[in-house]
Amino acid sequence: KMFARLLVPLSRRPCCQAARAFAFRVPEDKLIKKVSGARGPGGQSVNRSKTHVQLFFNVHEADWLSDDMKNELFQMHGHRINKQGVFQVACQETSSQASNLDIAVRKLQELIDEAESEMLRRKHKEENWKDPLQHMIDKKIKQGRGDEIKKREEAIKKSKMMNKIRKGNF
């Protein structure tokens, strides 16, 4: 009963429905699945049942990911990507291969969603970046202190002119 929630298809889970705002969905037909015997406690049944699930996909060949997304995956999850560019997720949490497959797909989707949200945050930050001086000028103008900016600008021009006169570069 504890794992009944895990057997619900991904599309029907509330946690996955909330994540649907993300653009990059994992196409399960593009994943390579490898199963093996689980490790750890469990007696002889561990040796007989193949419940350890590993999912792979080649990041370079993933036509369902944009180039920016691929770069973000390499930056954030480079430890999961080998030299050939193969991204790997494994699961052996339960004693059921189907449950472990479901969990592994969910883990993979969460990692991709995490990388996508970081990519979008970074792009938003780059688009909205302002020069600190321009930010200060905009802030003063918004506060109705535009005359202070003009006075400061005139003082700077006067100071530069005085420096030129002192140095004899006028």
Side-chain angles (χ1 to χ4, degrees):
K1 195 169 187 177
M2 187 168 91
F3 298 114
R5 187 177 79 85
L6 298 173
L7 298 175
V8 177
L10 284 174
S11 59
R12 290 189 168 159
R13 289 206 192 119
C15 65
C16 294
Q17 288 175 349
R20 281 195 176 161
F22 294 103
F24 299 102
R25 308 298 328 148
V26 177
E28 293 185 36
D29 59 322
K30 305 267 182 163
L31 299 176
I32 300 165
K33 178 178 93 168
K34 179 181 172 187
V35 293
S36 62
R39 284 138 182 79
Q44 292 178 353
S45 64
V46 172
N47 299 330
R48 289 185 297 205
S49 56
K50 297 190 181 298
T51 58
H52 183 240
V53 176
Q54 294 177 307
L55 295 176
F56 305 92
F57 74 92
N58 192 317
V59 177
H60 300 298
E61 296 172 2
D63 55 353
W64 49 279
L65 292 174
S66 69
D67 290 337
D68 290 340
M69 186 62 186
K70 291 176 186 179
N71 291 335
E72 195 65 42
L73 280 174
F74 274 103
Q75 283 182 357
M76 289 189 70
H77 303 298
H79 63 283
R80 292 184 178 271
I81 302 172
N82 67 15
K83 291 178 183 177
Q84 290 79 29
V86 177
F87 192 97
Q88 176 186 353
V89 174
C91 179
Q92 62 178 12
E93 294 175 14
T94 69
S95 58
S96 165
Q97 186 184 106
S99 296
N100 283 337
L101 176 62
D102 195 35
I103 292 169
V105 169
R106 197 164 7 122
K107 277 183 183 180
L108 181 61
Q109 186 63 57
E110 287 172 1
L111 292 171
I112 289 173
D113 289 348
E114 179 185 341
E116 183 180 7
S117 65
E118 179 63 23
M119 178 187 71
L120 294 173
R121 185 194 67 77
R122 190 173 291 146
K123 279 185 177 180
H124 179 73
K125 187 176 178 181
E126 288 172 2
E127 289 171 359
N128 295 329
W129 184 84
K130 268 190 181 175
D131 179 40
L133 179 62
Q134 186 62 43
H135 173 71
M136 178 108 63
I137 291 170
D138 292 346
K139 184 177 171 183
K140 289 194 181 212
I141 289 173
K142 189 175 182 181
Q143 293 174 347
R145 297 166 50 189
D147 56 331
E148 289 180 26
I149 295 170
K150 290 178 184 172
K151 287 179 185 176
R152 179 70 180 144
E153 190 177 354
E154 290 172 10
I156 290 171
K157 284 181 183 177
K158 191 174 183 181
S159 174
K160 286 182 178 179
M161 183 58 86
M162 294 303 284
N163 282 341
K164 285 182 179 180
I165 291 172
R166 268 189 242 136
K167 292 180 181 178
N169 295 341
F170 60 100

